[in-house]
Amino acid sequence: MQQRTVTAGVLEVTYLETGPANGWPCILSHGFPYDVQTYVEASPLLAAAGARVILPWLRGYGPTRFLSPDTPRSGEQAALAADLLALMDALGIGRAVLGGYDWGGRASCIVAALWPERVEALVSGNSYNIQNIPRSGEPEAPEVEASFWYQYYFHSERGRRGLERDRRALARTLWRMWSPTWAFDAAEFERTAAAFDNPDFVEVVIHSYRHRFGLVPGDPAYAHIETQLVAQPRISVPTVAIDGNRDGVNTGTATHASQFTGPFDYRVFEGGGHNLPQERPSDWAQAVLDARAMARA
């Protein structure tokens, strides 16, 4: 894989790329608290199938940097989507297969919903990832609320200090809770944990988990996107949606099917946790290939 950097929107985005330069574009975006290592095993499988695979570090992660100290360090969903669209523009990619989970799945879902002409097909861990912020004050079932402890932790200054003080320990705890069957080792964790040393990591993460509950304002630059997301726009592009049945932070999203109006396939990875592409790389790669086949049928 080649590591490259491009100016895209408000960021200098660093990304890994593999596969033929003239291959079909496939952009895979990671979640929290993960990074591009999520896709290092799935990517060669896709490259062998002719894909030009692009793995960007999201804002606040790894070597990706903000261009200006004056840009708000927003982690809101609209900012992530705008970053993805800007990356496509910067790389001259008119249309791509998008895939992701967690933060990266959210960005991919938003681009697919609002700019479907830019998306050939979508693979989304946990299905419809677009946040319904106006309804964020509505309580979930107690067992679901319990799994969100880290989000409520980040709402407090105690949580901010905890993340700042020992981001590795917190991330490791979440990996174990969210993927109880994934036997990752210390070296595997450290390859990703280096991405959390980004100087903007804490600020972006804290803003993300406060904004989604309406506790802090968003960046005005993305207000036009957030306004459109209030309507919970449906996704019309061909989609493969996936859950892991051992996901410790999401109990399943089969009920999201009505949010997808195009060709749609819902899958469950038996024994899979939250970090689906890294836990089940061959299955994830196959889902990407199948989603593209759905689009080309």
Side-chain angles (χ1 to χ4, degrees):
M1 287 192 184
Q2 298 293 317
Q3 181 169 313
R4 295 176 174 152
T5 301
V6 66
T7 299
V10 300
L11 301 174
E12 184 176 77
V13 177
T14 300
Y15 61 97
L16 298 182
E17 181 172 341
T18 190
N22 63 347
W24 48 275
C26 177
I27 305 176
L28 303 176
S29 302
H30 67 83
F32 166 85
Y34 307 96
D35 87 325
V36 298
Q37 295 297 322
T38 288
Y39 298 106
V40 294
E41 291 186 47
S43 293
L45 304 176
L46 295 170
R52 177 192 177 192
V53 185
I54 296 164
L55 313 176
W57 276 275
L58 301 187
R59 56 169 57 200
Y61 293 79
T64 289
R65 294 291 186 272
F66 286 88
L67 297 173
S68 170
D70 299 324
T71 302
R73 271 40 177 176
S74 172
E76 65 189 285
Q77 59 179 351
L80 302 176
D83 292 346
L84 177 54
L85 201 63
L87 176 63
M88 294 177 68
D89 290 343
L91 296 178
I93 296 173
R95 198 160 176 255
V97 175
L98 301 183
Y101 65 103
D102 203 87
W103 288 25
R106 189 161 298 119
S108 300
C109 281
I110 293 171
V111 174
L114 300 184
W115 296 276
E117 70 280 2
R118 304 295 300 271
V119 182
E120 182 177 10
L122 171 70
V123 177
S124 178
N126 298 141
S127 301
Y128 190 81
N129 266 310
I130 301 175
Q131 294 161 349
N132 191 343
I133 296 175
R135 291 186 55 81
S136 62
E138 294 298 317
E140 298 279 1
E143 61 270 22
V144 175
E145 296 284 4
S147 71
F148 291 163
W149 69 269
Y150 68 102
Q151 301 190 27
Y152 307 140
Y153 182 51
F154 292 155
H155 292 174
S156 70
E157 287 307 299
R158 177 186 175 98
R160 176 196 287 271
R161 292 195 302 272
L163 182 62
E164 180 70 62
R165 184 176 301 170
D166 202 345
R167 59 197 77 181
R168 277 170 166 76
L170 198 153
R172 191 183 298 109
T173 297
L174 295 178
W175 280 31
R176 289 170 175 160
M177 295 179 71
W178 295 354
S179 300
T181 64
W182 179 31
F184 63 88
D185 59 26
E188 192 168 19
F189 175 77
E190 281 302 320
R191 283 192 291 272
T192 286
F196 311 151
D197 294 331
N198 183 297
D200 297 306
F201 176 76
V202 171
E203 191 168 355
V204 170
V205 169
I206 294 299
H207 184 268
S208 173
Y209 287 101
R210 293 182 181 181
H211 181 270
R212 66 184 65 192
F213 283 88
L215 302 177
V216 294
D219 182 343
Y222 307 118
H224 64 292
I225 299 177
E226 290 289 357
T227 298
Q228 295 177 77
L229 300 181
V230 170
Q232 296 286 275
R234 292 183 176 179
I235 294 173
S236 61
V237 306
T239 299
V240 175
I242 309 166
D243 282 325
N245 70 341
R246 295 298 303 278
D247 188 331
V249 73
N250 195 301
T251 57
T253 57
T255 57
H256 292 190
S258 62
Q259 290 298 119
F260 298 88
T261 61
F264 179 74
D265 183 20
Y266 172 73
R267 302 180 180 182
V268 176
F269 287 179
E270 295 293 330
H274 192 62
N275 186 8
L276 296 167
Q278 197 163 358
E279 296 177 55
R280 302 283 288 275
S282 60
D283 291 336
W284 180 272
Q286 189 60 54
V288 172
L289 296 176
D290 291 347
R292 183 170 183 262
M294 288 164 59
R296 297 173 64 83

